[in-house]
Amino acid sequence: MKIKVARKPANTYQHGNLREALVQAGLKLLSEGGVDGLSLRAAAQLAGVSHAAPYRHFKDKDALVAAIAEQGFHLLTASMRAELAALDDPAGAGTTVQLRAIGKGYVRFALQHPAYLLVIFGGVLAQDRTTPELTAAGNEAYETLRGCVAAGLARGDLQGGDADTLSLAAWSMVHGLSHLLINQAVKLPPGLAVDVATDILLRVLDVGMRAR
Amino acid sequence: MKIKVARKPANTYQHGNLREALVQAGLKLLSEGGVDGLSLRAAAQLAGVSHAAPYRHFKDKDALVAAIAEQGFHLLTASMRAELAALDDPAGAGTTVQLRAIGKGYVRFALQHPAYLLVIFGGVLAQDRTTPELTAAGNEAYETLRGCVAAGLARGDLQGGDADTLSLAAWSMVHGLSHLLINQAVKLPPGLAVDVATDILLRVLDVGMRAR
DNA sequence: ACCTGAACACCGTTCAAGT
DNA sequence: ACCTGAACACCGTTCAAGT
């Protein structure tokens, strides 16, 4: 992905849209240099501004990280929805097919943007430093899954727990897989492609959520 | 947990066991101040030694982090095995009971030592900075689970994939749950205790792994 | 209101020098 | 072989001062 950071022209004084430029700069640093590469000073430099300028727009580094995580959640939601929309009959598809699409979208996002997943979940952001916007972006992602689970329960396709508990089960499975994959913490069974492994895990999940 | 760091006596010159002391200091910093609190200089100070002394024992900070992660894996393995050993008849227990014990041990470790889980999996350690000892410690943890899955397959209790794929499914589920919990990324369904939610997720997993 | 430059207290890392 | 102290290039954060 090509990330453009709006630089302040050298001859001007105010940037105009420094806040957004810093978020873009942070995303760029993150995707190029990983978590270690993300610093307020480097982001300021990319935006063509002094190292103290960001403090007019973010209380501290965590506030910038929170804004980046918010973007990450939007991308995650978009990835899941894109996979849903690519189904032949998105609205009419069965619970199994929909949940599988959401799971694939989640894993695809994680593999495409590993650094974002770490920012969202990886302890980069100190606990209790969440913002209302970040919470809302997280809820949006969660509701994409939860809506599908709730519909499955209503149809009688799913059983064995309420919508939140079964959503937690599904989220845990795909999140765990994604997280383990991007950390290279698991060696995939030799010769087994990510897609195939993902399919098997989603089947295990689906069967488990259908049983009483 | 009380962590003791062996300080070098002020009047002496050599520490004697600086390497181990630095690992302990790192664990202490991590559990008290989180990922941000872990620094080579602070660890050196806790061990009563100058900030450059650690470089006689660790190539760089990542090497210390790898040593800490190795300890974390040992604790994780111990937690899973303790839960297994607490069963009435550890060896004779069924696949379902054994897998549940392992899952509970994993989640318990994560909740007791959230910072360790982040060090092990959270992107604190740069990719490709793993050591042979760290890899071995990780394999030990993985084999604890895999052995149980393989036995279940042999007994005909489990189906639908080979030992590695089904182990990946189980690991993903409990790891995902643990990771989401310690990041407070999910709100547990109101009134639902962690233990109860864990039980439900482990049941979903168990049912899914029993189906063809 | 927004940005700059100096300043402070921290980092990781290196290197000559001491024991 | 092991440790120290100074040095360097980085951080995050604050604050007086400039536009």
Side-chain angles (χ1 to χ4, degrees), chain B residues 84-122:
Chain B
L84 273 175
L87 294 176
D88 281 345
D89 176 12
T95 302
T96 298
V97 172
Q98 286 180 351
L99 281 177
R100 181 166 300 228
I102 289 175
K104 283 174 179 295
Y106 197 107
V107 174
R108 184 165 55 82
F109 164 77
L111 294 179
Q112 274 180 357
H113 309 293
Y116 296 174
L117 204 79
L118 288 182
V119 168
I120 295 176
F121 294 113

Side-chain angles (χ1 to χ4, degrees), chain A residues 114 118 181-185, chain B residues 62 123-130:
Chain A
L118 288 182
L181 285 175
I182 69 177
N183 276 289
Q184 298 166 322
Chain B
D62 273 347
V124 179
L125 185 63
Q127 317 278 42
D128 304 337
R129 283 308 317 273
T130 177

Side-chain angles (χ1 to χ4, degrees), chain A residues 118-131:
Chain A
L118 288 182
V119 168
I120 295 175
F121 294 113
V124 179
L125 185 63
Q127 317 278 43
D128 305 337
R129 283 309 316 275
T130 178
T131 62

Side-chain angles (χ1 to χ4, degrees), chain A residues 7 9 17 20 31 34 45 67 92 96 160 197 211:
Chain A
R7 261 190 84 81
N17 198 1
E20 187 53 31
S31 61
Q45 198 175 7
T96 298

